[in-house]
Structure formats: C-alpha cells, structure tokens
Amino acid sequence: MTTKAVPTPQPIFEKSRPGRIGCNMPKCDTPEVDLTFLGPLRETVEWPEIAELDLLRHFTNLSHLNYGIETGFYPLGSCTMKYNPKVNERAAIFPGFANIHPMQPERSVPGAIETIAQVQDILSELTGFPSLSMQPVAGAHGEMTCLMMIKAYNSARGEAARTVVLVPDSAHGTNPASAARCGYTVRTVPTDSQGNTDLAALRDAMGDDVAALMLTNPSTLGLFEPNIEEVCRLAHDAGAQVFCDGANMNAMVGMTRPADHGFDCMHLNLHKTFSTPHGGGGPGCGAIGVKPHLAPFLPSPVLMRKEGKAIVDHDRPLSIGRVSGYFGQFLMAVRALTYLLAYGRDGLPQISRHAVLNANYVQARLAGVLPAAYDRPCMHECVLTAAEYKKAGVRALDLSKRLIDHGFHPPTNYFPLIVPEAIMIEPTETEAKETLDAFCDALIAVCEEAVQDPGALTAAPTTQVVGRLDEAAAVKVLDIAWKSNRTAASV
Amino acid sequence: MNVPEDLQYTRTHEWVRIEGDTATIGITDHAQSELGDIVYVELPTPGRALAQDEGFTTVESVKTVSDVYAPAACEVVEANPALGAQAELLNTDPYGEGWLVKVRFTGDPPALLSADEYKSSLG
C-alpha cells in the first residue's frame, strides 16, 4: 500500500498571471453601449488569467481526484450505486428524445408519451400497482406525494382526523421528514430482536388517529420483513394506509411485488434500481405506484392507457395537483426503459438474485471480523457492527477512513441508527467476485490493523489529497470560496 | 466512561442535578461519546412547560440528530446561553459547561437512576 499523499492542487486563482489569456477575442464590430447608468455591479472581477493548456490540465487533474463507480467499487449501503450501462445514455441522446420541447403539443410527441407509458407498464408489472405517476423527481418527493394522496383520500372519505404517521425506528430520515412536511405527527415503531417490525408495539401504536404506516421492505437493516402481510393487515384493520418506501426495490425486481404484500402505494427510485444517473443531486425520478382506491388522487395530468393507447388525462377533479413540471424528468424514463428492455422480462430477476447473492457473500466473508447486526441471511445489503473495536479506541468511521487508503469508497456508517457502530455494505449486482474479494480482503486487513495498530486507523486516510476532515467544523464554518487576500497560512 | 457519583441519571442518557426546587439537566459522557462531534443544539425557551418524556432539546452531531427528554413534568427556567455559539461544550464538558437547561419540577418528582444503576444500565 502506498502511504504517499497526493499533493494538494493549487487553486486556479493562484495560477493566474496578469495578462495571460486563453484565447484572443476579436475586435468589437458592434456599436458600444454605455451601461454605466446601471452603476458598478462590483468593484473588481477576479477571474483567473490563464492559458488554455494550463486551464485544461487544471481541470483534467482535478477530475482525476474523483472517485466514482467507473473508477472503483462503491459499496455505499442504502444507495444502490450500481453501474448504469452506457447504452442508456446512448438512447437518451437520440435526437427524437433529446431535442423535443416540453411545451410541444401532446399530439406532436406521441413517441415520448408512448415511452413513458411503456416504462409505467413495466414498473406496474414489477410492483403490482396498476396506476403510476412519473412526476416526483426524487425518492423523498415520491414519499411525500404518496402521503399527500393518502391525506386527500382520508379527507374525501371523512377521515381527516387521522393525523399520525407510523415510522419504524430503522427508517430512512426522509420518512419522518416527509410525514412532518405533510403536517402529520410521527409515532415511532420499534424493531424487535430479530430485526423485524415489533408486531406487539405496532398493534399498540395503531389506532383511529393513524393515517398511514411508512415501511421500507426489505428494511434498512437489509432484511425482508417476514410478517409483511400481518403488518399490512394490522394497519388496514385500523383503517390506515400502508406506504412502501421502495428504496430497497433492488432486492425484489421480478421476484416479489409490493402490491401483493398488502401495500397501498409505493415509490421507486429510478436513479437507484433502474439505473439512471444518481449522484450530484439528480436529475432523479421517484416514480410512484398506487392501488385503485388512491388513483383518483394521483398528480395531474395522469399518463395512462385507454384501450391500449397511451393518453394524457387532464380531467382529474380529485387530483392533489402537479408535483413537478410536465412528467418529471423525461430522459430518466428513456434511460430506465432502455435498461429494462436490455434485461428483458426473463433477465430482470437476475438483478435481484445477484444483488442478494453478492451482499450475502460479503456478509459471510466478513463474519469473522465484523458480525452481522442480526444473524440471518440478508437481502441486497448487509448491516454489520464494528462495536467490538471500540475498546481499542477504533470506531466504524475509522475503519471506513482506512479503507480509503486501500483504494475503496467506504460503506455507509452509523445507519440504521439502531445498530451500534453500523457498517452498511451494498455491493449491488454489477460486481464480480474478484472485486468483492479484494474489498473483503482490504476490510479484513483494516480490522486486523485496528487491533494491532489502532493509531494507523484514527490517523487515516493518509494517501489522499486531504487527510481526516473536521466534519464538525465543516458544518459550523462553511467556507468554500477562494479569497484573494487569504494568505497561504490561513488556507 | 465518566459517570459522576453526585448526579442522578435517566435511561435515555440525561443527567440531573437537583438543587432545592430546581434541577440542572444535561447529557451524559456516554451520550456525547455515542453522538460524536456535536455541531448544533436547539434549546427550549425559558417558561416552556414540559410533560414527562417530552423531547425538549434537539442535539445534532455529525452522525445523527437526537432528542433530549424531560425526566418529569417541569417548567424551563433557563437554557444554557453558551451553547448557541459553542455546541462542542457538550463534547468537552458534558457535566459542566455543557449543561442544557435548568428546570423547576411541576408535578411528581422524577424517578432517576443512581450513578451505579446508570453504569450497569450501560452494560
């Protein structure tokens, strides 16, 4: 292992030299207009003055510091950082898709409408929900849209007094946030000793004030909820709706359908399960699917089939209204359709089979150094605990930081919150056994080092352009702008 | 783990120092250690009435966001003014400078753990 740190890149502003230029601008051949009546916008403009080649090298070298799925293994639990095949991008830049305008009359874009309808058809078949909307542009947006629909549904049937949403203690933080954003009070449901929803506690928490239960299945512990039908029945008996957080759909594609488990509605992350771009804040797609009783409340307009033909239905008197412009991120639908058709109906279950196999392989290989939080087979991700290294003064975070020195992106740490020193690994289906082995070997070596030389871990990473960052200071003193008067010592 | 003998504790990792009819409440050394670097504390305003087990303070660390609970019905008398600018006092001095609130109990006194009982609850 190399221990040499990468030198800190010089900011482009410090490469600036007065008068140096990247290109010669032609002489102005239009009349000059005096804009001084606007007043000075700013005293000076400190743009770097730099030659084209130096500029090119600067940004190319910075790009080499990136770590992504195309440079290495990315086992970030709960994020499904799978490989997005390039053919998806090829389809998305077809001029017929890329060059249409969202304001074009619907009759001029039947291909785009049919494309969205085909994605909806397949997602409907995979989830069991007959009605869908592609409008939500993120997973949390999809969650919130489903809760808004549940609220509208309850109001329409005279059950507006249902003001509580139940959320398990293992849930993604977006669940209680979405519920609070919709004006609901959140009531927490504990997890039992096996990692499942505590049925007795759920029974106690249910009542005629409960609007909905939000449940992630498989749970954020990477475990399939074996009592899922009983959980849904308890909710329905109390008059509550059950929302499925589809963040973990990658474990179930073509294998089992949330609508069949008893859920009333769900969201899907196309940018996770269905292989559309993911990082950098999007654009995402948090498509939602609902059962018939919720369909009247779908965001308007609704793209649906009528006698087999894809149509856009604007006549939705009970709709909660639009939740985004047009049909959300259209090119996400193009990419997802490409991905789905490339696998084909018979190939799709392979996604989940391999995702689950890979996660169990990693869980089994690491069992000697990092035991699973719950000793049972996992689904598409495994949640391990590093609690035993605490006596050596080593935390899960230190193990993860040391993994960076071995060339791997760290797994998720400290989530779910109910697992002490959690390390959450989601390998996804697109990794070969050799890659999984190299990762496991590295993590085993790091765990051995934690016992023999804990200081090496708490000092890690030492091979990167920056060392251990002060996360608390980064939150409190946000300082990301270059300032010309800053001295080298204060940088 | 530092668990001072002269304080009382809750199972949810608050410490309580009772002096006459008021009590000072903070989070334990164990709690701050589990939370990691604390970056922000949202305190209640003095005068606010709290029910038993009500979350009255939100502590945000680089890892997570967590609530602090009232051990019994009480009224907030004072909130630690230093924490607005220096939330890290919860990490550096949880039993001293990092205290959260002073309260006056308004109902039944709280059922609290001794230092030994709290220590054994940590396992």
Side-chain angles (χ1 to χ4, degrees), chain A residues 63-376:
Chain A
S63 76
H64 288 169
L65 298 175
N66 279 344
Y67 189 98
I69 191 72
E70 290 169 22
T71 49
F73 184 48
Y74 208 135
L76 199 61
S78 211
C79 292
T80 315
M81 303 303 284
K82 67 167 77 173
Y83 171 59
N84 299 336
K86 292 300 160 210
V87 66
N88 300 353
E89 297 306 312
R90 196 178 160 85
I93 59 168
F94 284 163
F97 290 134
N99 296 343
I100 54 174
H101 193 280
M103 296 293 276
Q104 273 179 243
E106 281 158 19
R107 59 183 159 72
S108 72
V109 286
I113 292 170
E114 176 62 24
T115 298
I116 296 172
Q118 286 196 18
V119 179
Q120 291 186 178
D121 291 344
I122 300 172
L123 297 181
S124 175
E125 195 173 332
L126 290 173
T127 60
F129 292 104
S131 301
L132 289 97
S133 171
M134 303 285 283
Q135 278 194 31
V137 293
H141 195 192
E143 287 172 30
M144 199 180 89
T145 303
C146 282
L147 288 181
M148 288 165 71
M149 292 169 61
I150 288 170
K151 199 166 196 179
Y153 167 73
N154 278 337
S155 292
R157 64 183 183 130
E159 296 269 351
R162 294 180 177 270
T163 55
V164 173
V165 166
L166 304 184
V167 179
D169 57 5
S170 60
H172 292 110
T174 50
N175 286 183
S178 296
R181 187 72 186 81
C182 288
Y184 285 117
T185 303
V186 175
R187 194 177 290 159
T188 305
V189 181
T191 301
D192 71 14
S193 61
Q194 305 300 306
N196 302 321
T197 303
D198 186 327
L199 287 178
L202 180 66
R203 228 171 258 126
D204 290 345
M206 274 299 166
D208 56 13
D209 59 345
V210 176
L213 165 67
M214 303 179 83
L215 199 75
T216 310
N217 192 31
S219 71
T220 61
L221 296 162
L223 304 174
F224 193 86
E225 177 67 60
N227 306 314
I228 185 60
E229 289 171 319
E230 174 71 0
V231 166
C232 291
R233 199 182 57 74
L234 279 173
H236 290 147
D237 285 353
Q241 298 288 294
V242 194
F243 162 78
C244 175
D245 180 321
N248 293 341
M249 187 67 197
N250 215 46
M252 301 191 291
V253 179
M255 307 294 289
T256 181
R257 311 194 309 170
D260 298 339
H261 304 160
F263 289 104
D264 298 288
C265 54
M266 81 176 297
H267 91 276
L268 296 162
N269 292 315
L270 263 52
H271 46 279
K272 293 167 73 170
T273 318
F274 300 105
S275 179
T276 65
H278 194 147
C285 179
I288 54 170
V290 302
K291 284 189 173 164
H293 62 285
L294 291 173
F297 306 94
L298 278 168
S300 172
V302 175
L303 200 150
M304 59 196 283
R305 289 200 186 275
K306 199 171 182 180
E307 291 156 9
K309 190 176 180 307
I311 60 149
V312 179
D313 184 13
H314 293 269
D315 183 22
R316 312 288 299 185
L318 293 175
S319 167
I320 59 165
R322 279 190 182 278
V323 297
S324 74
Y326 315 107
F327 291 98
Q329 310 286 2
F330 168 62
L331 293 177
M332 295 298 102
V334 175
R335 292 179 173 98
L337 183 61
T338 310
Y339 179 75
L340 289 162
L341 293 178
Y343 267 98
R345 183 190 297 265
D346 296 336
L348 282 168
Q350 191 186 331
I351 294 173
S352 295
R353 283 199 191 104
H354 285 184
V356 171
L357 178 64
N358 281 358
N360 278 285
Y361 181 72
V362 169
Q363 178 170 299
R365 273 222 54 196
L366 295 174
V369 291
L370 292 168
Y374 298 89
D375 186 18
R376 58 189 254 202

Side-chain angles (χ1 to χ4, degrees), chain B residues 36-115:
Chain B
D37 288 342
I38 290 161
V39 294
Y40 183 70
V41 186
E42 190 178 314
L43 292 163
T45 43
R48 182 170 149 194
L50 303 174
Q52 183 176 349
D53 298 331
E54 182 177 346
F56 66 88
T57 287
T58 304
V59 178
E60 186 173 343
S61 74
V62 292
K63 280 201 288 196
T64 186
V65 177
S66 192
D67 279 337
V68 182
Y69 302 98
C74 59
E75 182 190 323
V76 178
V77 178
E78 192 185 346
N80 187 347
L83 297 178
Q86 285 179 283
E88 65 272 20
L89 290 172
L90 265 72
N91 292 121
T92 55
D93 193 7
Y95 298 112
E97 300 270 303
W99 64 276
L100 293 172
V101 292
K102 293 189 198 305
V103 301
R104 185 179 298 116
F105 293 114
T106 50
D108 294 336
L112 297 168
L113 306 177
S114 69

